[in-house]
Amino acid sequence: MGKAGLPVSPLAPARFPDLPVIAGVEFASGAAGVKYQGRTDVTLIRIAPGASIAGAFTRSSTRAACVLDNQAKLTQGGDAPDGAAIIVNSGNANAFTGARGQESVDAVTAAVASATGVPASRVFSSSTGVIGEPLPHDRIVAITDDLAGALSQDGVAEAARAIMTTDTFPKGASATVAGDGGQIRITGIAKGSGMIAPDMATMLVYIFTDARISAPLLQQALSGHMDSTFNAITVDSDTSTSDALILAATGRSDAAEITSLDSGAGAGFTAALQQVMRELAHLVVRDGEGATKFVEVQVTGAETEADAQKVAMAIANSPLVKTAIAGEDANWGRIVMAVGKSGAKADRDLLTIRFGDMVLAEKGWRAPDYDEAAASAYMKNQNLLIAVDLGLGQGARTAWTCDLTHGYIDINADYRS
Amino acid sequence: MGKAGLPVSPLAPARFPDLPVIAGVEFASGAAGVKYQGRTDVTLIRIAPGASIAGAFTRSSTRAACVLDNQAKLTQGGDAPDGAAIIVNSGNANAFTGARGQESVDAVTAAVASATGVPASRVFSSSTGVIGEPLPHDRIVAITDDLAGALSQDGVAEAARAIMTTDTFPKGASATVAGDGGQIRITGIAKGSGMIAPDMATMLVYIFTDARISAPLLQQALSGHMDSTFNAITVDSDTSTSDALILAATGRSDAAEITSLDSGAGAGFTAALQQVMRELAHLVVRDGEGATKFVEVQVTGAETEADAQKVAMAIANSPLVKTAIAGEDANWGRIVMAVGKSGAKADRDLLTIRFGDMVLAEKGWRAPDYDEAAASAYMKNQNLLIAVDLGLGQGARTAWTCDLTHGYIDINADYRS
C-alpha cells in the first residue's frame, strides 16, 4: 500500500532505484504533522555554496504563494554563492490562502535561513496538499533546527517518500555522463499522480547535479527540455496551482565547466538531463490516479510542431480515448475524433493510425489488412503505443498518458472527506 | 430502459412533450436494420416547397461524409423552392469511410429525391453510430419508398426515438410566439448523450418552424444563438465528427414575414428559437453518459467575453471538478484550479466563488462565514449552480455540464464490443 492507503500502481517499477550521491547536496526529512500522522511530511535540502539554480513552474493564474515566491527569487538570477536550501511540505498546498499564504512562506523560509545559514533570498519552498486551508507553518518551523542538524548526503530516498501525497510509490531517476576530466552525476526525485492536478496531486520535481555550469546555461538546458518531458505528460488535463521543478548544480564534479550545450560534454550533459527529466515524467504517469496502462502517443507528419503538439495532447487528454484503452478496446475511431477536434490541420485521406506495429487506418479508411482480433490482443498490453501520421509535413511530437478507469473516479469523487 | 439497454437518466424529464404540428413538415420512421434489430433506425422528413433552410455543423477536421455534403449544399444558399428532405439513420456514422462515404451519401440522397420528388441538391442527410464501418446504405435505400408513402405531420415523436443511439430518452422542445397577424410555432428534436462525443454519442438536432423568413435571416438567427446554446454545453469535452443542426422554416404561419430580428415579432421569434435551442441543449446534458447531476456554470466579471467562455468551459470540462460533483464534495479548490488553468486573465484576490446562493471564497481566501456543512448539503441537489465572478470587467458566459461518474466509464470503456 502507498502512504495514502491506496494500492501501489500496477505500473510502478519493482523498486526505488539507487541514486548516486551528489556532492554538495544534503537531505533531511521529518514528521511535522502538517496534516498526516505517523509519516514524514517535511523535507529540507541544503545545497553547498557556489551552486547554480534553475527552475520551472506552473503557468496557472492562481499560483500558490510558494510558487510566486520561488519565481520572484529566481528572477534575480540563479547564482547561490552562499548556498541554497529547499523546504518542502506535504499535506497542505498553501494555495488560495490570501495574504496569509505569503506570511507562511516568509515564516518557513526565515526559519530555514536561520537554521542553515543560507540567505533567505536563496531559500526555496514548496507546499502540496489541500487548497484553501491555512498552512500551519508553526509545525514546520518547530522542526527546522532538528532537520538542519540531521542533514545527510544519503537522505534522497527518504526525501522522495516525505514529499508524497496520493502517490502510491516514491519516484527517483539518475544518470551519469562523462564530462571533460571526470564524471558528471544527475539525481532527481519527483512526486505527482494526477498530472497536472490540484489538491494532493501537484507535481513537484527536484533534480541535482554536480556539474559545473553557470545559472543561465543551466536554466537554458532545463527550459529546452520541458516541452519534451514534463509538458508532454497528462493524466487528466487539469493543471495544478503548485507545480514546481527546481534544478541545482553544485559544481563539485571533477569535470571541467560546461560552457556550451552544443559541445561534446555539454551536449552529453543536456541529453542526460533530458533523460532524467523524461524518466521522472514517465513515473508520474505510471502513478496516474487509477492508471492500469502506460500509453505513448507519437504524432508525426504534422504541418508544424505546434500542430503535432495539439494532436498529441488531444489524443492523450480525450476521456473517450482513455476509457477505450481502459476497456482494452482497439477503438481507433476515437483517435480519428481526437485528431478532428484538436484544431490542427488534418486531411482525412492522408491520415495513418498505428497501434504498436499494426496499421489500423490509412488513406481515409480502415486499413485493408485490418485485423480486429490482433488489434484487440494488442490492447491487452500494459505499455501501449498509439502512432498517428498526418502526412502533411515534418512536425512531430510525443506525449505520454494513462487510461481513465473507475479508480480515477474512486480517488477523486470523494477525496477531501 | 432506453433503447440501448441503459437505464433512463435520472435527469430525464417525466415524459416526452406534446410538440405543436408545423404545417409543411412531415415525418416517417422505419426499421432498416442498419445495425440495431427490433427498433426503428431511419427517419425521413419532408419539408414543403417554399421553405428556408439553415444549418450548423461540427468544426471537426475529420467530419463525416454526410456533414460535408450538407455543408456543400447549404453553401449554395438555403432556399428550397421545390421543398427539401432530411434522411437520418442511427447505428452507423458513415465517418472515416473514405471515398465510399460519399458514395453512400449519394445513394441515399438520390433514393430520397426519387421517392419524394425533392431535388437531390435539397436532400440533407445524417448518420450516427460507429465510426469507420462501411454504411450498408442499401438497407436504407430499400425502405425509402415505404417511408415516403407513410409521411405524416404527426410523426415527430417517432422521429425523436428513431434517431437515438446511446440516448436513454427521446428529446423534444417547442415554443409558440405571437407574430404579426398570427402565431408562429417552433418544434425541435435532438439526440446526443455524450456532447460532444463520437461513436453513438453524436449530437443531431432538427428544428422546424412555420415562420415566414428568408434563408439568410434564418441562418443569422441560428448562428447568433449557437454560442449561448449548443456550444455552451459539454459532457466530456470530446467533439463528434458528425454533429449537425438543421433548421427549416416553412412559411405556413398566418403571421407576416419576419424581415428583421430586432423588430417586435422578429425579436420575439429569435428569442423563442433560442429558448428551444437551449432546452434541447440542456436535454443533451441531462442525458450525459452516466450523469446524475445537471450543473450550470455562470461566469461573470471577466475582462472579455472570450475570457468568460474560457473559464466557463475550463470548469465545465475539468475531470476533477466533475468527479467532485459526482462525489457531492463541495471542493471549491478545484474551481480555483480550473480558473487558473483556463488561460483567462484572473486575479486571485478579486475572485468570488458561489455554489447556489452561498459565497464559498472571496478576496483570495475562504469566505469568512464559509460553512462546510451547508456547502456539503447543497451538493446533494440534483441541479447545481456554480458561479464565478472574476471581478475584472463585464465579460459573462454560462455553460452547462454534468458530473463524471462510474457510469461514464462503464458506458465508454467497452462500447464497441
Side-chain angles (χ1 to χ4, degrees), chain B residues 180-220:
Chain B
D180 290 330
Q183 298 282 316
I184 296 173
R185 294 158 202 85
I186 305 174
T187 275
I189 59 174
K191 64 92 36 185
S193 56
M195 163 76 174
I196 312 178
D199 289 348
M200 294 189 132
T202 285
M203 185 175 71
L204 299 178
V205 186
Y206 306 99
I207 304 177
F208 309 96
T209 174
D210 54 9
R212 288 175 58 196
I213 182 170
S214 72
L217 204 58
L218 189 69
Q219 182 68 51
Q220 188 185 323

Side-chain angles (χ1 to χ4, degrees), chain B residues 375-399:
Chain B
S376 294
Y378 177 74
M379 299 304 291
K380 302 210 174 293
N381 290 303
Q382 200 172 58
N383 293 289
L384 297 170
L385 168 66
I386 296 175
V388 172
D389 190 283
L390 295 168
L392 295 171
Q394 301 302 313
R397 195 61 78 86
T398 298

Side-chain angles (χ1 to χ4, degrees), chain A residues 171-248:
Chain A
K171 300 167 184 69
S174 69
T176 301
V177 61
D180 288 332
Q183 297 283 316
I184 297 173
R185 294 157 201 85
I186 305 173
T187 275
I189 58 174
K191 63 91 38 182
S193 54
M195 164 74 175
I196 314 183
D199 291 348
M200 294 188 131
T202 285
M203 185 175 71
L204 298 178
V205 185
Y206 307 99
I207 304 176
F208 309 96
T209 173
D210 55 8
R212 288 174 60 195
I213 183 170
S214 72
L217 204 58
L218 189 68
Q219 182 68 50
Q220 187 187 322
L222 173 62
S223 301
H225 295 318
M226 287 301 292
D227 278 351
S228 62
T229 60
F230 293 105
N231 291 342
I233 63 171
T234 179
V235 167
D236 56 14
S237 82
D238 278 333
T239 306
S240 168
T241 55
S242 309
D243 288 338
L245 185 161
I246 294 177
L247 167 61

Side-chain angles (χ1 to χ4, degrees), chain B residues 233-299:
Chain B
I233 63 171
T234 178
V235 169
D236 56 14
S237 82
D238 278 333
T239 304
S240 168
T241 53
S242 309
D243 289 337
L245 185 161
I246 293 177
L247 167 61
T250 62
R252 301 295 171 102
S253 163
D254 294 332
E257 182 174 351
I258 291 168
T259 53
S260 158
L261 301 175
D262 308 319
S263 75
F269 168 73
T270 193
L273 176 64
Q274 183 183 33
Q275 181 204 312
V276 170
M277 289 169 69
R278 184 170 288 165
E279 213 170 310
L280 291 171
H282 288 185
L283 288 171
V284 172
V285 174
R286 288 183 177 280
D287 208 4
E289 290 168 340
T292 68
K293 308 272 188 188
F294 179 81
V295 186
E296 177 161 321
V297 180
Q298 284 179 2
V299 176

Side-chain angles (χ1 to χ4, degrees), chain A residues 368-399:
Chain A
D369 55 352
Y370 175 75
D371 179 345
E372 175 86 21
S376 295
Y378 178 73
M379 298 305 290
K380 302 209 175 292
N381 289 305
Q382 200 170 59
N383 294 291
L384 297 170
L385 169 66
I386 296 175
V388 171
D389 190 283
L390 295 168
L392 296 171
Q394 299 303 314
R397 193 63 79 85
T398 298

Side-chain angles (χ1 to χ4, degrees), chain A residues 59-65 68 95-101 131-134 194 196-199 236-241 289 314 317-321 323-334 336-349 351 353 361-366 370 372 376 404-417, chain B residues 59-65 68 95-101 131-134 194 196-199 236-241 289 314 317-321 323-334 336-349 351 353 361-366 370 372 376 404-417:
Chain A
R59 285 184 284 244
S60 168
S61 63
T62 52
R63 287 190 285 278
L68 295 168
F96 210 68
T97 45
R100 201 158 153 180
I131 290 179
E133 303 279 337
I196 314 183
D199 291 348
D236 56 14
S237 82
D238 278 333
T239 306
S240 168
T241 55
E289 291 167 340
N317 276 324
S318 163
L320 285 163
V321 170
T323 47
I325 294 169
E328 302 187 333
D329 176 11
N331 195 329
W332 58 270
R334 295 185 180 177
V336 174
M337 174 283 298
V339 172
K341 79 163 183 172
S342 69
K345 190 173 169 188
D347 180 331
R348 184 193 69 191
D349 296 340
L351 200 59
I353 298 174
E362 61 185 342
K363 303 190 177 83
W365 184 237
R366 202 168 54 190
Y370 175 75
E372 175 86 21
S376 295
L404 173 56
T405 68
H406 286 292
Y408 182 83
I409 309 274
D410 284 335
I411 294 168
N412 287 298
D414 198 23
Y415 166 74
R416 284 195 327 164
S417 18
Chain B
R59 286 183 284 244
S60 168
S61 63
T62 51
R63 287 190 284 278
L68 295 167
F96 211 69
T97 44
R100 200 158 152 180
I131 291 179
E133 303 279 336
I196 312 178
D199 289 348
D236 56 14
S237 82
D238 278 333
T239 304
S240 168
T241 53
E289 290 168 340
N317 277 325
S318 162
L320 285 163
V321 170
T323 47
I325 294 169
E328 302 187 332
D329 176 11
N331 195 329
W332 58 270
R334 293 184 182 177
V336 174
M337 172 284 298
V339 172
K341 80 164 182 174
S342 68
K345 191 174 167 188
D347 180 330
R348 183 194 69 191
D349 296 339
L351 199 59
I353 298 173
E362 61 184 344
K363 303 191 177 80
W365 184 236
R366 201 167 57 189
Y370 174 76
E372 175 86 21
S376 294
L404 173 57
T405 68
H406 286 293
Y408 182 84
I409 310 274
D410 284 335
I411 294 168
N412 287 298
D414 198 23
Y415 166 75
R416 283 195 329 167
S417 16

